[in-house]
Amino acid sequence: MPPPLHILWRDEHLVAVYKPTGWLVHRTGLDAGETRFVMQTLRDQLGQHVYPVHRLDKGTCGVLVMALHSDAARALSQAFEHHTTHKRYLALVRGWAPEAVDVDHALRPDDAPPDAAVQDAHTRFRRLAQATLQESSDARFASTRVSLVEAVPTTGRRHQIRRHLKHLAHPIIGDATHGKGPINRWWAERLGQQRLWLHAWQLTVPHPVSGVAMTFDSGLLWPESPVFGGVAEALSITDGMPAAPSSDWQRLFVRLPWEETARPQGPSSL
C-alpha cells in the first residue's frame, strides 16, 4: 500500500496535500503500470470522497489541493479556470538562467495535430541561485552550471513551465521530454535520484465558501545564509534520516555550491 500523504491543511471544504514525485493525481490509461495515486490514497486516508480541481505532472512534487464536496469542487475549478489562483514553482535548470525574464510564448497542446491553433502562454521566471561544478556533464564544456529558478505561470497550459524553460534553452534537470538524456543521467548519478526537478512550492486559492485568499506552502525551508553550502547542520539533514516530504530538495540546497542571486519574494516559508 502507498504511504499516507502529508496533509498541509484541511477543513470541511478542501484539503491541501504534499504530492510526492512519481505519483499520479488519478488513474489514467496512459500510465497503466502505476500504482500510486493521490486521489485514491487520500480518499482512503480521509475516509471520504475527494474531488480533483487541478493537476500536477507525475514528476512534479509539492502543493496539491482537492475539494471535499461537489460545491467546493465547482468553486475551486472555476477559480483555476478564471485564473484567480496564484502559483509559484521552483525548478533546477541547466546553465545559468537569466536573472529575470518574462516568457510570452504561445503553445500548441501536446497532443494536438501540427496545424492546431496555438494558445497564449505566459510565465515569469527569476533566478534565485546559481552553481558551478568543476566537472563536465557535456564534452563541449569543462564545467557544469545549474540554476535554481522561481517560475510563476499566469496561464495554465499543459507542461507550460517545462516547455517555456526549454524555449529559453534552460530545460529542467530530469525532464525526459524536453531535456537531454545524457545530462539527465549525469545529474541522476550525482544526486542519487532520477526525477524531474520541478517543485510546486506555493499555491494561493480563494476559499470555496468564504472567498478569502488562502496560501498553501510546501514547507520547503530556504537557508538563511546567503550561500547555501554549509547549512546541513542548520537544516538537520543527513542521509540516514527518515525522508520528510521535501527532503530531496533540502538535500539539493546542501549538496551543491550555491551562490544566491535573489531572495524569494512574498509570503512563504522560503
Side-chain angles (χ1 to χ4, degrees):
M1 293 291 294
L5 291 160
H6 180 73
I7 295 177
L8 303 168
W9 167 271
R10 179 188 177 188
D11 65 13
E12 63 269 36
H13 307 293
L14 63 85
V15 59
V17 301
Y18 187 98
K19 175 196 165 303
T21 185
W23 286 53
L24 292 171
V25 174
H26 52 73
R27 296 181 188 274
T28 172
L30 299 177
D31 198 343
E34 186 52 70
T35 59
R36 298 166 299 177
F37 310 98
V38 173
M39 189 173 172
Q40 284 75 18
T41 299
L42 192 58
R43 176 198 62 199
D44 296 342
Q45 188 173 333
L46 300 181
Q48 67 178 101
H49 191 70
V50 296
Y51 300 75
V53 294
H54 70 121
R55 296 186 304 177
L56 293 177
D57 291 343
K58 179 178 179 180
T60 305
C61 63
V63 180
L64 181 75
V65 166
M66 288 200 172
L68 295 179
H69 54 79
S70 59
D71 288 341
R74 187 176 306 109
L76 287 168
S77 295
Q78 289 176 352
F80 281 97
E81 181 181 350
H82 298 151
H83 307 296
T84 57
T85 62
H86 182 72
K87 306 172 187 176
R88 298 172 76 195
Y89 290 78
L90 190 67
L92 175 69
V93 307
R94 191 180 73 197
W96 284 4
E99 181 179 342
V101 62
D102 277 27
V103 177
D104 192 355
H105 176 66
L107 299 171
R108 184 176 290 107
D110 281 346
D111 54 357
D115 58 348
V118 296
Q119 299 172 318
D120 291 340
H122 175 262
T123 313
R124 296 195 304 270
F125 293 103
R126 199 163 58 100
R127 187 183 70 231
L128 301 180
Q130 60 193 30
T132 301
L133 277 66
Q134 299 306 320
E135 303 176 67
S136 175
S137 60
D138 186 321
R140 297 173 297 171
F141 308 105
S143 60
T144 298
R145 293 177 169 184
V146 287
S147 302
L148 282 174
V149 173
E150 176 189 61
V152 177
T154 60
T155 54
R157 308 308 178 194
R158 189 166 184 260
H159 295 170
Q160 176 175 314
I161 294 173
R162 296 166 62 179
R163 296 170 74 183
H164 275 177
L165 284 166
K166 178 187 178 182
H167 178 71
L168 289 175
H170 294 285
I172 299 174
I173 300 299
D175 190 335
T177 303
H178 304 292
K180 290 188 176 181
I183 292 177
N184 289 340
R185 289 189 290 272
W186 187 91
W187 275 105
E189 291 175 2
R190 297 307 182 281
L191 299 175
Q193 188 177 10
Q194 176 66 59
R195 60 154 298 167
L196 175 72
W197 287 96
L198 180 62
H199 179 85
W201 146 28
Q202 195 176 86
L203 174 63
T204 300
V205 298
H207 191 274
V209 174
S210 69
V212 173
M214 302 189 68
T215 297
F216 304 111
D217 193 285
S218 70
L220 190 62
L221 298 173
W222 195 262
E224 292 300 322
S225 168
V227 178
F228 292 143
V231 298
E233 184 176 353
L235 291 173
S236 300
I237 296 171
T238 66
D239 289 334
M241 289 183 63
S246 58
S247 59
D248 49 355
W249 276 91
Q250 299 287 188
R251 290 188 177 97
L252 181 71
F253 290 165
V254 171
R255 288 175 173 171
L256 300 183
W258 293 110
E259 173 192 353
E260 190 175 79
T261 57
R263 293 296 290 172
Q265 297 175 347
S268 173
S269 64
L270 286 188

